[in-house]
């Protein structure tokens, strides 16, 4: 029985990809192109996890920053207004100095 890993290896070899990561990357890109609602949800999750800024999340979602703010409000997600607590600010500063 063929598993996903074997299928990815076969696609990579047959399709001229460098590796299976390249296959997965293209597959995800195509999935997000075909299903824009997933693209928006991905951007929301990245924003919620503090992985991207609001502007970057909006860019990833393919919407304006204002539309993305509206989407966050519709989903009941509070926006960080840019003010950090002392401990959170110190934590972020530490990541820059490491």
């Amino acid at each position: 029985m063929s598993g996903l890993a074997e299928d990815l290896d076969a696609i990579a070899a047959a399709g001229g990809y460098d590796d299976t990561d390249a296959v997965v990357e293209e597959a995800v890109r195509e999935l997000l192109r075909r299903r824009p609602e997933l693209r928006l949800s991905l951007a929301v999750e990245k924003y919620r996890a503090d992985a991207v800024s609001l502007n970057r999340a909006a860019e990833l979602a393919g919407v304006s920053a204002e539309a993305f703010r509206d989407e966050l409000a519709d989903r009941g997600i509070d926006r960080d207004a840019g003010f950090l607590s002392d401990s959170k600010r110190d934590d972020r500063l530490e990541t820059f100095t490491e």
Side-chain angles (χ1 to χ4, degrees), residues 11 32 36 48 51 65 67 88:
I11 292 169
L32 294 175
R48 189 191 317 234
K88 194 166 188 178

Side-chain angles (χ1 to χ4, degrees), residues 3 9 13 16 20-21 25 28 36-38 43 45 47 49 51-52 61 64 73-75 79 81 83 85 91 93 95:
D9 287 338
T20 57
D21 285 346
E25 189 173 312
V28 169
E37 74 280 4
L38 287 178
E45 289 306 313
Y47 176 78
V52 296
S64 69
D74 290 348
R75 293 180 185 221
R79 279 192 318 115
F83 301 104
S85 67
D91 289 344
L93 286 173
T95 61

Side-chain angles (χ1 to χ4, degrees), residues 64-84:
S64 69
E66 182 178 345
F68 192 75
R69 281 191 294 270
D70 292 344
E71 182 65 29
L72 292 175
D74 290 348
R75 293 180 185 221
I77 299 169
D78 290 331
R79 279 192 318 115
D80 181 1
F83 301 104
L84 303 174

Side-chain angles (χ1 to χ4, degrees), residues 24-66:
V24 172
E25 189 173 312
E26 184 174 327
V28 169
R29 232 186 343 263
E30 181 62 19
L31 176 65
L32 294 175
R33 186 187 69 73
R34 288 179 183 226
R35 299 208 30 215
E37 74 280 4
L38 287 178
R39 188 174 167 188
L40 179 59
S41 292
L42 175 62
V44 167
E45 289 306 313
K46 285 185 166 221
Y47 176 78
R48 189 191 317 234
D50 285 332
V52 296
S53 68
L54 185 135
N55 287 334
R56 179 65 179 132
E59 182 181 315
L60 291 171
V63 299
S64 69
E66 182 178 345

Side-chain angles (χ1 to χ4, degrees), residues 8-19:
L8 289 173
D9 287 338
I11 292 169
Y17 293 93
D18 291 336
D19 54 27

